[in-house]
Amino acid sequence: MRTTPFYPRLRELNHSHMWGNWAGYLSATKYDLSSKHEYFGVRNAAGFFDTSPLNKYWIRGRDAERLCSYAFARDIRPVRPGRAQYTLWCDDAGFVMEDGVVFRTAGDEFLLTAAEPNLGYLRGLARAFDAEIVEATEDFASLAVQGPRSRDILAQLTPDVVDLPYFGFAETKVAGSQVLCSRTGFSGDLGFELFIPADQALPVLDAIIEAGTPHGLRPYGEEALNMTRIEAGLPLFGYEFTSSRYAFTHEERFTPDELGLGWTLRGLDDPTRPFIGREAILAERAGAEARWRTVGITMTWRDYYDLHASNGLLAIPDEVPVPWEVMIYDAEGSRIGYATSFMYSPILQRHVGIARVRPSHAEPGSEVFVEQTVNHEYVNVRALVTTLPFYNPPRKVAAR
Amino acid sequence: MSDTHAYDAIVIGAGHNGLTHAAYLAKAGRRVLVLEQRHLVGGAAITEELRPGFKFTTFSYALSLLRPEIIAELDLVSHGFMPLYMRSHFAPMDNGDYLLLGPDAGVNRQEIARHCKADVDGMERFEHDTLRVRQFLRPLFDNAPPNLFSADPQDAEQVAWLVKHLGSADAKLMHDCVRLITGSIADFVDDYLESEIIKATICSAACVGIKLGPMSPGTGLNWLYLAMGEHDGIAGSWAFHKGGNGGFTEVLARAATASGAEIRLNSRVDHLITEQGQAVGVALADGTEFRAPVVVSSLDPRRTFLQIADPRELPADLVQTIQRFRFQGVASKVNFALDGLPRYPALEGRTDQYLGFVNVAPTVEYMERAYDAAKYGWYSEHPYLDASIQSMIDPDMAPPGKHVMSCFVMYTPHELKGASWPAHREAMADRVQATLRRFFPGFDDLVLQREVVTPDIIEERTGLSEGNIYAGEFFPHQMYVFRPAPGYSDYRTPIRGYYQCGSGTHPGGCVIGAPGRLASMRVLADTR
Ligand SMILES: Cc1cc2nc3c(=O)[nH]c(=O)nc-3n(C[C@H](O)[C@H](O)[C@H](O)COP(=O)(O)OP(=O)(O)OC[C@H]3O[C@@H](n4cnc5c(N)ncnc54)[C@H](O)[C@@H]3O)c2cc1C
């Protein structure tokens, strides 16, 4: 198993000794014995998470913008240098392959982060353009610093973070190293990500730890990451969807609208921007209703408690997201969807899930029933459909 | 309700129960006025910035008993409710060793085994048996006690329910219940555990706020009461509310005002106004009067019945019962502003032991001896301390790198024999600091400031008689259908329209909200 450039320090910090496997790299499941503790670090102070295994690619050249605006479903053209954009890319049939973040570092240069390897795919596309794709994954160590204190902590190291707008970034110096620091993240909170030359990873991390410890900064692992991103309503590749490129069945692929990502497609009917999947998406929107809608679901404390108490059990909710899909039914017991992520949210004091349901049940406030196991029996428990995200503090996007 | 009044109900006191009560009434559409004597809400649940950037939880300091139904029903999350996780329980020992229990059951087994292998399963059996007791008693805890002494058929129905529920227990469960409710915690844990530090850790939780030592019968009940709390469903687990319990009562105040309740600060109620045996309003100390057909007192029974109401309007036997009601506060707080974290030599370089409670009670005997002093009207030479460095859990409690430490101190009786608290306050706090110094070398050098809160101060600031933190001792004869007096556990009083909703009613004290909530159900039902 490979390790990331931060590993020598993370190994010292990982008191749980629990590591997961992220694309062949050791990635901490949790550093503390409790991921809830790390979660509160992010929600009430600050936490840092090693994102180095993310795939990173430079897209450069005279046609870089044209290539991006063709490859990605979201229009890159309004994005100025110094700004980043959440995006996704689709196949010709309008199904989502992947999502990622594009950083526009110059008029003709972009840095893309992606969950999965895409070098071959992007190079294939680039052939028709005056642009090159350069693999950069291992050139960077990348670190997310998230939470209400993240700005105060980083501001001690570089003044450039102070006025960064949401999805803005700056190339700046931290602890003597040139880093790209963006106001982005996966926690749904105020937060930043740093892209650090791999050989400078440790001094930069050490400086952040030193600045952050008095503020309650702590490392967090995959479990806490997963908790915070579910509260933020953010889809995670491998949970909410997988690449349509590798689908065997129609059930395994989804359109942007079905994933709740239709908002990225503003300007879809702009004829000056052909992109992969556009025709199919236009046809989908003109045609019959989508198969699914992505919604939030919540279960009240009362329903969860009564379910257990009436069966003679203690009601002890688990904040660690369940590793399976949770089936959703209507009042008559017909299946109308499934939750792709489901957990107890300590901040919201109730269970929450990201779910796909039939459009007929997608209105916020609709009553649905979630399948739970109690005393070795399946029981359907009342839940309510909500909008996403569940947690969205104003500080996430607010100016200082 | 009558339209001749500006308000449908007046609530006396903006402690957490008064606020909870007001929020429920307001949510049901009632026009509610809350009158609070102080310049801030919260009563015994406040946070004060006594030094720039340092926030002190003057009185109560952690959250567990709060009923989850209140969080849900009042939608407290939308008003800022945020219980932070208290990750560990750290108990230093005389020999320099320690017991450190944390979030992981497996690791806790190893830690217990380090002290005593037999206690690994001993602890698990103890937990399971007491969880069953807790589960069994929960419906009693969360519902108003039936009136055993009434002839009303509705009451008879509830008594029948109670009898049926009690009958559903198996023999062991019933025996465990009675052993806990009537016996001492020291006896109870002896049946399960051998290790002194593990026994002491459990016993200490049974001695919080009560004028009893771990070997006194009655401490089982106090232990059980506190174990009725939970955090995220984990029984007996405590949380720290963001900003302290003052942060919590601000959330409650927002919930109440968002529903239309009006909170008037600096408004000390002097007495209840009645007309023909019916409550019609209150008069403030400055003479201002407010009128409403319902007046609800969140004060303790002594104040509710003997000061706010005119005892001459009450049955003499009730007055006598309330006069006999035991308060006898024994708890103090010493709160510190610290320049850095204390050192514990056996855990040099680590700080995770401070992510929850620091419990200074190394043996059962240590606690019993601490209690001995109180029996004879004096404060402990070696006090039992339930401390917490709250800035470790919520960095907003102190400036970066600095800390606040809350220390709950047992035993410091309200009545000192032949002496008064003003003359002994600092000497008592010196003993607390000496105790901390004994376990944490160099502690004194960290102290930037200390706040000393003895029972006389608790009484003076909150109105809790004799500084009893629960608004009345947790003795079996002062609980459930007897709280605060037989026949008056239904939140009513003999004066029509005058109700009680404070910690002196069922189930009792702590930051729990249940009295406020259950009383609101009574008021709403009576005034439909
Ligand atoms: C030192 C200490 C530590 C504690 N620690 C904890 C803890 O960590 N966790 C926990 O759960 N519980 C703790 N408790 C217990 C808990 O804080 C109390 O039981 C609970 O807060 C009482 O709430 P209440 O609303 O019933 O009464 P109070 O909080 O006493 O509220 C009564 C209110 O009425 C006001 N008032 C009094 N007289 C008048 C008047 N005449 N007119 C108008 N207003 C008046 C008071 O100012 C006050 O605001 C502690 C208590 C103390 C004292």
Side-chain angles (χ1 to χ4, degrees):
Chain A
M1 191 85 82
R2 303 201 55 181
T3 57
T4 76
F6 297 119
Y7 178 73
R9 191 69 65 250
L10 302 185
R11 187 187 51 199
E12 292 165 15
L13 293 170
N14 190 340
H15 299 295
S16 80
H17 304 291
M18 291 188 206
W19 298 93
N21 175 348
W22 178 4
Y25 291 90
L26 282 184
S27 170
T29 309
K30 48 187 179 183
Y31 292 84
D32 189 85
L33 292 169
S34 156
S35 41
K36 185 164 157 182
H37 176 63
E38 298 177 358
Y39 158 91
F40 274 117
V42 178
R43 286 288 180 243
N44 192 45
F48 62 90
F49 180 86
D50 177 8
T51 62
S52 303
L54 269 182
N55 294 281
K56 302 169 196 84
Y57 306 103
W58 289 111
I59 303 170
R60 291 186 178 126
R62 202 166 55 86
D63 280 348
E65 183 189 272
R66 275 184 60 225
L67 168 58
C68 288
S69 79
Y70 169 69
F72 304 139
R74 189 168 182 196
D75 193 353
I76 196 75
R77 295 172 303 169
V79 176
R80 288 174 282 118
R83 292 301 177 101
Q85 188 184 62
Y86 170 76
T87 194
L88 40 102
W89 46 108
C90 297
D91 62 20
D92 278 326
F95 293 103
V96 174
M97 291 168 66
E98 262 182 73
D99 64 350
V101 175
V102 200
F103 298 80
R104 186 163 202 167
T105 46
D108 57 358
E109 186 185 69
F110 300 84
L111 180 67
L112 171 71
T113 61
E116 294 291 293
N118 276 275
L119 186 63
Y121 173 67
L122 292 173
R123 282 206 174 142
L125 293 181
R127 269 188 219 119
F129 296 84
D130 181 359
E132 61 166 353
I133 313 293
V134 179
E135 165 69 50
T137 304
E138 306 226 333
D139 298 343
F140 292 106
S142 51
L143 190 76
V145 182
Q146 304 281 302
R149 292 273 178 129
S150 55
R151 178 161 43 203
D152 292 347
I153 292 168
L154 293 174
Q156 298 171 57
L157 303 172
T158 163
D160 292 341
V161 299
V162 174
D163 293 316
L164 269 188
Y166 189 49
F167 270 86
F169 68 88
E171 300 192 48
T172 181
K173 266 204 151 59
V174 172
S177 302
Q178 194 69 31
V179 308
L180 187 157
C181 176
S182 60
R183 186 159 163 200
T184 51
F186 208 42
S187 67
D189 212 309
L190 174 65
F192 299 84
E193 287 173 299
L194 290 91
F195 296 83
I196 306 158
D199 58 356
Q200 300 296 309
L202 288 180
V204 173
L205 176 60
D206 288 342
I208 292 171
I209 292 173
E210 192 186 325
T213 302
H215 289 270
L217 176 76
R218 39 190 179 252
Y220 64 106
E222 291 188 354
E223 279 183 1
L225 174 100
N226 204 8
M227 292 167 69
T228 55
R229 71 91 196 166
I230 291 172
E231 290 176 343
L234 297 170
L236 179 57
F237 186 90
Y239 288 74
E240 270 64 40
F241 67 104
T242 48
S243 173
S244 64
R245 179 71 182 73
Y246 303 110
F248 288 98
T249 70
H250 191 42
E251 282 64 42
E252 286 185 291
R253 54 187 197 171
F254 306 95
T255 65
D257 284 341
E258 289 171 341
L259 291 177
L261 299 174
W263 59 271
T264 60
L265 301 177
R266 210 141 44 98
L268 184 65
D269 38 18
D270 174 357
T272 69
R273 190 177 75 97
F275 68 88
I276 300 169
R278 174 169 177 263
E279 302 308 320
I281 293 169
L282 278 171
E284 180 206 13
R285 287 200 171 172
E289 212 175 7
R291 291 172 302 170
W292 299 109
R293 294 232 339 244
T294 295
V295 297
I297 50 163
T298 66
M299 193 196 288
T300 67
W301 172 82
R302 174 55 70 188
D303 287 328
Y304 181 78
Y305 177 79
D306 286 350
L307 165 71
H308 291 82
S310 67
N311 282 286
L313 297 170
L314 303 179
I316 306 176
D318 192 349
E319 68 277 358
V320 178
V322 298
W324 54 79
E325 289 180 337
V326 178
M327 297 302 140
I328 300 177
Y329 299 84
D330 65 11
E332 280 73 51
S334 307
R335 230 202 15 118
I336 47 122
Y338 52 101
T340 46
S341 295
F342 191 69
M343 65 180 264
Y344 173 77
S345 159
I347 283 245
L348 301 167
Q349 295 277 295
R350 69 200 74 176
H351 284 82
V352 299
I354 299 176
R356 270 195 287 277
V357 296
R358 299 293 179 202
S360 55
H361 289 77
E363 263 321 293
S366 303
E367 193 178 70
V368 295
F369 294 82
V370 199
E371 188 174 84
Q372 298 284 299
T373 316
V374 176
N375 278 339
H376 314 286
E377 302 275 356
Y378 284 133
V379 181
N380 288 350
V381 187
R382 203 175 74 96
L384 288 183
V385 169
T386 67
T387 54
L388 291 170
F390 299 107
Y391 185 74
N392 194 20
R395 62 179 177 249
K396 180 181 86 177
V397 299
R400 170 173 53 126
Chain B
M1 279 191 177
S2 156
D3 277 331
T4 58
H5 299 297
Y7 299 101
D8 296 322
I10 291 169
V11 179
I12 308 173
H16 86 283
N17 274 313
L19 292 170
T20 301
H21 186 77
Y24 274 100
L25 294 189
K27 198 163 165 268
R30 305 296 162 88
R31 294 164 301 174
V32 185
L33 173 67
V34 186
L35 296 170
E36 166 56 44
Q37 62 175 2
R38 295 198 70 196
H39 61 282
L40 80 176
V41 301
I46 59 172
T47 304
E48 295 176 291
E49 188 167 340
L50 295 188
R51 181 186 178 94
F54 291 85
K55 295 177 189 143
F56 286 60
T57 52
T58 317
F59 308 111
S60 69
Y61 51 103
L63 199 64
S64 175
L65 274 293
L66 176 67
R67 307 323 291 153
E69 35 275 76
I70 296 174
I71 304 167
E73 288 162 3
L74 296 179
D75 195 11
L76 295 185
V77 168
S78 72
H79 299 287
F81 181 71
M82 187 165 164
L84 302 172
Y85 182 48
M86 296 185 78
R87 180 189 167 282
S88 58
H89 187 100
F90 172 57
M93 290 163 64
D94 282 320
N95 63 1
D97 198 356
Y98 57 85
L99 176 73
L100 177 56
L101 298 176
D104 187 272
V107 174
N108 288 343
R109 282 184 173 184
Q110 299 303 326
E111 174 68 354
I112 291 172
R114 204 166 68 74
H115 293 280
C116 174
K117 289 217 160 56
D119 284 359
V120 173
D121 57 302
M123 187 71 157
E124 288 170 15
R125 281 182 289 118
F126 169 81
E127 276 172 1
H128 184 75
D129 287 354
T130 54
L131 277 173
R132 284 196 69 212
V133 170
R134 178 185 183 274
Q135 184 188 35
F136 176 63
L137 294 178
R138 188 161 179 166
L140 276 63
F141 199 80
D142 280 335
N143 288 290
N147 191 343
L148 297 183
F149 317 101
S150 127
D152 189 311
Q154 225 182 344
D155 288 322
E157 212 174 279
Q158 287 179 31
V159 173
W161 171 84
L162 177 63
V163 172
K164 182 159 171 267
H165 183 70
L166 294 178
S168 72
D170 60 48
K172 172 169 170 53
L173 178 56
M174 184 54 82
H175 199 205
D176 285 345
C177 283
V178 173
R179 285 197 312 145
L180 267 176
I181 290 172
T182 63
S184 82
I185 192 68
D187 282 347
F188 195 87
V189 297
D190 265 346
D191 294 349
Y192 296 88
L193 300 164
E194 293 171 17
S195 153
E196 197 51 47
I197 186 65
I198 296 165
K199 285 200 244 183
T201 296
I202 295 173
C203 286
S204 66
C207 296
V208 167
I210 191 163
K211 194 173 175 184
L212 293 175
M215 299 176 186
S216 320
T219 42
L221 173 60
N222 198 41
W223 185 90
L224 179 59
Y225 186 93
L226 296 176
M228 296 305 288
E230 63 182 49
H231 175 222
D232 287 341
I234 311 232
S237 155
W238 291 77
F240 181 74
H241 193 277
K242 171 136 199 69
N245 275 347
F248 169 61
T249 45
E250 277 167 24
V251 168
L252 275 180
R254 282 199 287 276
T257 49
S259 294
E262 186 182 327
I263 300 170
R264 202 168 183 274
L265 301 174
N266 303 307
S267 303
R268 182 181 170 80
V269 173
D270 184 72
H271 63 269
L272 178 75
I273 307 170
T274 60
E275 282 168 9
Q276 286 110 40
Q278 157 80 41
V280 295
V282 297
L284 299 189
D286 67 10
T288 315
E289 293 189 0
F290 293 97
R291 300 220 143 215
V294 167
V295 176
V296 189
S297 168
S298 74
L299 312 188
D300 70 26
R302 186 179 288 174
R303 293 183 199 277
T304 299
F305 290 104
L306 308 183
Q307 288 180 9
I308 301 293
D310 182 344
R312 288 169 306 181
E313 293 191 46
L314 302 170
D317 68 336
L318 172 63
V319 172
Q320 276 166 19
T321 307
I322 299 298
Q323 281 166 340
R324 286 200 293 266
F325 196 81
R326 287 287 184 155
F327 291 93
Q328 51 186 36
V330 278
S332 291
K333 279 290 291 289
V334 180
N335 300 312
F336 295 96
L338 299 180
D339 202 23
L341 284 177
R343 256 185 70 226
Y344 195 71
L347 291 170
E348 204 68 71
R350 271 173 72 176
T351 57
D352 57 312
Q353 71 271 27
Y354 300 131
L355 289 166
F357 292 103
V358 177
N359 201 61
V360 179
T363 63
V364 177
E365 186 178 323
Y366 177 101
M367 260 177 297
E368 189 67 19
R369 288 191 185 280
Y371 164 59
D372 283 345
K375 279 193 293 202
Y376 307 113
W378 210 245
Y379 48 98
S380 317
E381 163 100 50
H382 301 295
Y384 152 45
L385 306 178
D386 185 31
S388 164
I389 301 176
Q390 300 163 327
S391 43
M392 283 291 284
I393 302 153
D394 181 4
D396 288 343
M397 295 296 286
K402 312 284 181 211
H403 292 282
V404 286
M405 181 175 190
S406 151
C407 268
F408 183 84
V409 184
M410 296 289 290
Y411 295 75
T412 61
H414 177 256
E415 302 291 337
L416 290 180
K417 194 169 186 174
S420 73
W421 271 115
H424 283 272
R425 232 188 302 285
E426 293 305 319
M428 185 281 288
D430 288 344
R431 287 188 178 178
V432 169
Q433 211 167 310
T435 305
L436 290 167
R437 181 190 316 133
R438 190 169 132 209
F439 292 99
F440 304 97
F443 183 82
D444 300 298
D445 301 337
L446 299 173
V447 177
L448 301 172
Q449 185 172 340
R450 81 180 182 196
E451 179 197 27
V452 191
V453 182
T454 42
D456 58 320
I457 295 184
I458 297 174
E459 173 165 45
E460 178 201 311
R461 301 232 189 113
T462 65
L464 288 165
S465 294
E466 299 177 27
N468 183 292
I469 73 166
Y470 301 132
E473 286 278 43
F474 284 172
F475 294 154
H477 56 275
Q478 298 194 163
M479 300 301 272
Y480 202 48
V481 296
F482 305 116
R483 194 169 184 89
Y488 298 98
S489 61
D490 59 0
Y491 309 96
R492 293 184 181 125
T493 72
I495 299 169
R496 266 180 295 122
Y498 187 42
Y499 292 84
Q500 4 160 22
C501 76
S503 296
T505 63
H506 173 80
C510 282
V511 181
I512 177 172
R517 173 177 180 267
L518 293 172
S520 77
M521 292 160 77
R522 166 61 66 197
V523 170
L524 291 172
D526 283 359
T527 57
R528 230 179 333 242

